[in-house]
Amino acid sequence: THVIAQPCIDTRDQACTEVCPVECIYDAGDQFLIHPDECIDCGACLTACPVNAIYLETELPRGWKGFAEKARLHFGS
Ligand code: SF4
Ligand code: F3S
């Protein structure tokens, strides 16, 4: 799955939601989050985000690993 991390908070650009072919990016309040069970790992959102907030889960920077868990908790996944 892909994961939206820190830079989305307070930015919420939403360009990612327009390019996702399966519409699995949802407004979660302080930021947008990707539903881990719905993401097909196409990578389209990764290049669309102007603040580089999106990563493949396995490539999340060390300090932002917790955002994968945040998404799982949010969606009950
Ligand atoms: Fe959507 Fe593709 Fe991004 Fe997954 S990687 S959230 S399917 S645009
Ligand atoms: Fe956030 Fe970037 Fe999408 S700022 S809403 S992850 S385009």
Side-chain angles (χ1 to χ4, degrees):
T1 187
H2 280 61
V3 175
I4 303 179
Q6 185 74 36
C8 184
I9 297 176
D10 297 329
T11 304
R12 296 171 40 91
D13 181 85
Q14 300 187 47
C16 57
T17 64
E18 287 164 27
V19 300
C20 180
V22 295
E23 300 186 354
C24 68
I25 306 176
Y26 300 90
D27 190 344
D30 63 337
Q31 68 168 110
F32 279 69
L33 290 172
I34 295 169
H35 195 310
D37 300 329
E38 297 177 359
C39 175
I40 58 171
D41 282 339
C42 72
C45 58
L46 190 150
T47 46
C49 178
V51 291
N52 296 319
I54 308 180
Y55 297 82
L56 192 59
E57 180 176 4
T58 52
E59 294 173 0
L60 272 171
R62 192 184 309 261
W64 292 343
K65 300 282 188 202
F67 283 91
E69 181 67 10
K70 180 178 180 177
R72 288 203 181 83
L73 285 171
H74 179 79
F75 294 109
S77 171

